[in-house]
Every structure is written in structure tokens, then in C-alpha cells.
Amino acid sequence: MMTLATSWCLLSLCVLLVFSIVPTGTEVVNSILDCKEFFLQGNPPDIKDIMKDGKILDQNRYKPICQTFENKRRFVTLYDIRNKIPVFSAYKFIGSKVNSPDTWKIEPQLEDIRDDKNMKGNKEGKTLNNQAQNVNYDNKLGWDRGHLFPVSHGFDTAGKVSTLTLTNAVPHFHTCNRAGWKDNEKIMRDYMTQFCINNNEIEAAVMTGAVPGTSPPLNNKINIPSYLWSAFCCYNSATTKMIGKGFWAPNVDKCKVEIVSLGELNIRLGKDSLVFPKATCPLN
């Protein structure tokens, strides 16, 4: 397999901005298809033992969230309330302009569907039953709050702020989160910026997920994933073809990210898994 050191060249720069935090919104919905605009051709992935043909197999455990900010849906997350981590986040990459602050929020509707749909900060001393909160990430073992939909892939300030919800985060070992995986996010961003061009506009369908691990939960609450994965697929107008790649990394110290085919990624995610079903993305 190729490694990041031999991968695509880096192209773009980020402009640093200073801005204030404004209220963020989100919404727990009944069906993942309520947020289908974030999937390639509107088709959610097939994930072994979790989702098939757009249907969540255990709706008591897995909750679809349309992540919304300023009354606009920004991306979609399938959240595992038992493991307290997302299964995946899916979004459309349309370029990236600015950086973002690092202020995390929680999803009140996971605790009570009648509650406010706006993301908000967790009050100190209040325990949440169905999701992780900041205090659950307090540790001296090296675990970061690692984004699935990364800040660096958000298009603008609003898009980046919308990623700062703990329903879009997993425990990610710091030397992987801040080095190998972060480098991979930049490689993906720069490659998609250059090659995912359709009618002179940047657009790629992207999915990033986590494979639950078997080690003891962080602070006896949050599952620590064994692997992280990501994938993109897009149309390249220069070649008039669909292009795509998968990425796979163990959640360990100084991780190495493998660049794999979409077909290989499907295999690693388990029998009958398809990241981009019903699409013409290249599998090899």
C-alpha cells in the first residue's frame, strides 16, 4: 500500500481569521434519508451490522443527526449512543477558506428529543447518558477529541464551526490525530481541490468513520476506536470519469495512514459494506 510520504503534492494555503462563536444547531431525525443530500447521489452507505439500503438496523442504538448551523444543514452523522461515538460523518467538500476555533458542544436532543435542537455547551456537573461530553475526554493517556468531519474541510467559518460537536468526535491518539491523520486530511483537501472539478466548481462526496475497539472505554464511558477510515468520490471533468480513494489508519501512536482502493476499504469494513453504493466510483 502507498503511504502519505509518497502521495499527492500539497497545494493550498489556509488564511487565519479571528471570529466569535455564535449559536450552533443540529437535529436528531427519524431516518438517515432525511439528510440524503450529503451522500453521493443521495445513497447512504451500507455498513456491516449497522445499515443496509438506507435503513438503520438498530434504531434504538444508532441515531441519525442532521448537523445544522444558522438554519442550514451542513453534514450528517450516524451516532452510536451505546459507544458514545459516531459511526460516520458524511459531507460534501466544496473547497476550504478559513480556520476555526476549538470550542466543543453537545447535542441536547440525544438526551431528550423534546429539547432544544441547538447545539450547546454542556453545563458543568450535568451528566449525559447518551453521548460523550468534555469531562469524558479528560485524560493523561494521550487521547484527543478527534474530528471525523475535520475543521480543515469546512468551506467557510459557519461550516467549520458546525464540525465542533462531540457527536462528530472520537478518542484519537494524539500523535496520530495531530500528525499522520492530520497530514492525510490536508492531502485529501488539496487533492480534491485540484481534481474534483465539475463545471468549474469543486465538489466531492466524503465519508469518515470509526471502527469501535475492544479496549476499556475512555473514562469508563467512550469507546476507543481501533481504526479510523475515510473516503471520497467525485467527478473529474478533465477526464470525464469518477475518481476516488479510501484511507485507513490504526488508532495508535505514530500511526501510518494507508491509501487504499474503495474496493479494499469496503472489504475492511466488513461483509457487504459499501461506502458509495449504487455509484460508479472506481473500486480498484
Side-chain angles (χ1 to χ4, degrees), residues 4 16 45 59 64 70 78 149 155 168 174 190 226 259 264:
L4 294 179
L16 295 175
Q59 297 184 22
E70 293 181 342
L78 183 63
F149 178 6
F155 176 66
N168 181 49
H174 69 284
D190 294 340
S226 54
I259 301 174
E264 174 64 20

Side-chain angles (χ1 to χ4, degrees), residues 152 172 176-187 257:
S152 62
H172 200 174
C176 183
N177 183 46
R178 304 176 197 181
W181 193 254
K182 182 179 180 179
D183 292 343
N184 185 69
E185 291 170 345
K186 188 176 189 305
I187 285 171
V257 182

